[in-house]
Structures are given as C-alpha cells and as structure tokens.
Amino acid sequence: MRIAVCGKGGSGKSMISGALARQLAQRGHQVIAVDADPNPNLGISLGVDRETVETMKPILNALLDAGHTHNDPKPLAEDLLDHYGVDAPEGIRLVATGKIERPSDACLCCGSHNTTRQFFGELADVDRVVVADLEAGLNDLIWAKPGANDVVLAVSEGSEKSVEIARRAVVVAQELGVTRIIGVANRTVDEAGFARVAAALGVAEMFSVPEDRAVEIADQQGVAPMDADPSSPAMVAVSELADLIVKQ
Ligand SMILES: Nc1ncnc2c1ncn2[C@@H]1O[C@H](COP(=O)(O)OP(=O)(O)OP(=O)(O)O)[C@@H](O)[C@H]1O
Ligand SMILES: [Mg+2]
C-alpha cells in the first residue's frame, strides 16, 4: 500500500505522516517513510534523532557527487533506499527525496520531484506500506502521481486557505484516478469546524484529528509526538486513522 499525505504548509502533514508510519509499524507492517519536502523534517516527527536527520544525504546531489550523470540509467529506488535511507524507530526506513543542497549542480528535471515520483511509483508496495510526506501544495502530488490502488490523505487545518488547498488536492487525486481519498480535518476543536472542512472536501471518508497541546509541546521540544505522549488525543486519533486505512 502507498499513502500520499498532502495539504497546505503547516496543515499537519509531517505530524500525521510520522505518527501514522509509527502506528502502522506497530501493527506489524514494514513501513517506508518518504520525506519529499525540500526542507525535510519528517525525521523529527518520526522520532529519528537530529544528528541522524542531519546526516541524511540529498539523493540528487549525492548521485552527482558519485559521478552519476543525466544520461545514466536511473538507479533503482530499492538501491537508493538501501544507500541513502536511515533507520527510524520500529523498523521504519526513512528516505529524503526532496532535499537539494546545491541547486547549481542539479539537473532540475531529474531533481527532487522526479526522485519523489520514483520512490512513490517504483517502490514495491506488496507486504509493505509507503508513507510519503509531500511538499506543501499540489505540485508534489502531481509528481508522485498516486493511482487507483493508492491512498491519498488530504490534510487541512481550519483556515480557509488550508481547506481550499485540500479541496484542490482532492480534485487532483480524483483526476489521477485515486479511489481512496481520505480527508483529514486536523486541529479540530468542535463539530462545526469538522463539518465545514468535510463539506468543502466532499469525500466519502472524512477523519478528525483534534487540536492537541501535547503535539505542540512535543514540537517545541523537538521530539516525536508519539514518543512524547502516545496516549494524547491527536495520537489516539492517528491510531484510529491507521486502523481505518488498513481495514480495507
Ligand atoms: N493536532 C494538532 N494539535 C496541535 N498542534 C498541531 C497539530 N497538528 C499539527 N500541529 C502543529 O502544527 C505545526 C505544523 O505541523 P506540521 O509540521 O506537521 O505541518 P506540515 O503540514 O508538515 O508543515 P510543512 O508544510 O511546513 O512541512 C507544528 O508546530 C505542529 O506541532
Ligand atoms: Mg512538513
């Protein structure tokens, strides 16, 4: 199974991706976490220590350093995962596809978006789950190109702009033929707020993750919310989201 997590900047994509990956791993799934953000921070939400996150290589620049050129066949995603991935808690393998350290060196047509496409599209998803924390906005969703067998989480907090981007993400996912699109209203404080997001997204499956002070505090301390307090309301909600996702 492959899960693409998209939405506006700050909507909670990384928090949900990290906690969801942990929850799925706890259920016995082999999980690959793909950080597609050019400014990667999924590692923190997953519970990877800062030093390890810092050592993660930007794949495109690393390949260029190793003498790889535009004309060479692209290395296999599985090999890149072995080479450039790092171990995260609960047996999760984390790879960062979005980061480019030296844009002057990089061929942008095979740059971060295309590497994200390769990881999301080519990593075998039989017997394992790929969770991709996409760059804010819609561009990465188009590049990742999820299909009929994939799951898209359209994440929104309550602001009108956030809801609008999640709504457009739903339209893009539908256009790509994704049949399982789950709207996630993050940081909900009441039923009315949830209903407003649900009405705007208009998807069959809607999910609520409550506003949770424990998540904010964990973020301020630079620790994963799952490590800070797995029983906090948002973590319990993401656990239920994991159950919902694997139910089918
Ligand atoms: N349910 C929640 N309750 C309280 N705070 C939350 C909740 N979800 C997310 N946050 C806070 O909102 C901020 C943004 O979350 P996060 O980094 O996951 O968003 P993002 O969509 O990945 O942002 P970006 O696009 O910048 O990567 C963080 O400070 C996080 O702690
Ligand atoms: Mg993020």
Side-chain angles (χ1 to χ4, degrees), residues 100-143:
I100 293 180
E101 269 174 357
R102 299 184 307 281
S104 54
D105 268 3
C107 169
L108 294 179
C109 70
C110 52
S112 64
H113 290 311
N114 207 9
T115 317
T116 297
R117 158 95 283 265
Q118 190 188 11
F119 268 89
F120 196 76
E122 290 176 20
L123 278 181
D125 64 342
V126 178
D127 293 334
R128 69 178 172 191
V129 184
V130 178
V131 179
D133 177 19
L134 300 183
E135 184 183 3
L138 303 178
N139 214 1
D140 248 5
L141 180 62
I142 294 165
W143 275 95

Side-chain angles (χ1 to χ4, degrees), residues 9-215:
S11 58
K13 300 178 295 298
S14 298
M15 184 283 281
I16 288 170
S17 300
L20 181 63
R22 294 276 299 261
Q23 289 288 348
L24 291 167
Q26 283 179 9
R27 285 161 180 69
H29 298 279
Q30 195 206 337
V31 178
I32 309 294
V34 177
D35 190 344
D37 199 321
N39 183 21
N41 52 28
L42 176 59
I44 306 293
S45 301
L46 267 175
V48 178
D49 62 87
R50 198 167 282 279
E51 292 73 40
T52 306
V53 170
E54 293 297 326
T55 65
M56 290 183 75
K57 291 205 173 113
I59 292 176
L60 182 62
N61 286 137
L63 286 175
L64 293 169
D65 290 347
H68 187 88
T69 72
H70 179 73
N71 297 323
D72 296 331
K74 236 178 165 15
L76 296 174
E78 298 288 350
D79 292 343
L80 291 174
L81 183 64
D82 280 350
H83 252 81
Y84 300 116
V86 297
D87 289 328
E90 332 220 34
I92 298 168
R93 189 85 177 154
L94 167 67
V95 67
T97 60
K99 190 173 165 194
I100 293 180
E101 269 174 357
R102 299 184 307 281
S104 54
D105 268 3
C107 169
L108 294 179
C109 70
C110 52
S112 64
H113 290 311
N114 207 9
T115 317
T116 297
R117 158 95 283 265
Q118 190 188 11
F119 268 89
F120 196 76
E122 290 176 20
L123 278 181
D125 64 342
V126 178
D127 293 334
R128 69 178 172 191
V129 184
V130 178
V131 179
D133 177 19
L134 300 183
E135 184 183 3
L138 303 178
N139 214 1
D140 248 5
L141 180 62
I142 294 165
W143 275 95
K145 218 174 172 205
N149 297 324
D150 301 323
V151 179
V152 166
L153 299 189
V155 180
S156 177
E157 37 88 21
S159 81
E160 201 49 40
K161 287 179 187 163
S162 190
V163 174
E164 178 55 15
I165 289 185
R167 190 192 65 75
R168 287 193 217 142
V170 168
V171 173
V172 168
Q174 285 167 338
E175 166 74 23
L176 289 170
V178 178
T179 47
R180 192 138 193 236
I181 304 168
I182 303 175
V184 180
N186 186 29
R187 311 194 72 158
T188 50
V189 288
D190 54 27
E191 261 307 308
F194 175 72
R196 193 168 58 81
V197 180
L201 300 194
V203 290
E205 291 181 276
M206 236 357 257
F207 200 84
S208 171
V209 177
E211 175 71 26
D212 184 348
R213 180 85 182 117
V215 170

